[in-house]
Amino acid sequence: MYWVLEYDYVDDYLERRQPFRQAHLALAQAAQRRGALLFAGTLDEPVAGALLVFEADDSSLVEDFVRADPYVDNGVVVEWRIRPWNVVVGDWDAPGASPPGAAP
């Protein structure tokens, strides 16, 4: 099952994130190495939030990520939502497709 984590950032996100950026990225990279986090990135023009896509049996893994995220703990993220994502189009098993993190 897939889950989308939506983050809303403070207005001055680019300035406020600096002291916490490396720890936030380390958390995300560790989740990606474990195979839980598939994609993550900001919503740009303007930068106002981010989307992170997880694969997990239930939302508890995503909730644990949020509780550990220094962006959340330090007020860089002002609001967040976890939503189940029902993938309708897309198949990692299709010819020529690779799952996230796989070598090309």
Side-chain angles (χ1 to χ4, degrees):
M1 181 165 196
Y2 297 100
W3 301 89
V4 173
L5 172 59
E6 300 174 76
Y7 275 171
D8 295 333
Y9 292 142
V10 293
D11 290 337
D12 56 348
Y13 157 77
L14 292 173
E15 295 80 27
R16 296 258 318 263
R17 73 177 179 172
Q18 284 312 112
F20 318 109
R21 184 165 166 72
Q22 289 306 319
H24 167 77
L25 291 176
L27 177 70
Q29 290 163 347
Q32 192 268 334
R33 282 192 301 276
R34 290 190 308 273
L37 179 59
L38 304 179
F39 301 99
T42 58
L43 298 168
D44 292 341
E45 298 181 22
V47 175
L51 290 178
L52 298 88
V53 178
F54 292 82
E55 185 174 17
D57 293 333
D58 59 52
S59 64
S60 64
L61 182 139
V62 185
E63 292 164 7
D64 291 345
F65 181 92
V66 171
R67 280 192 289 277
D69 192 345
Y71 278 9
V72 174
D73 286 343
N74 292 284
V76 177
V77 171
V78 293
E79 194 171 319
W80 54 271
R81 292 163 300 287
I82 299 170
R83 301 178 63 186
W85 186 33
N86 181 25
V87 176
V88 177
V89 176
D91 182 0
W92 300 124
D93 296 325
S98 297

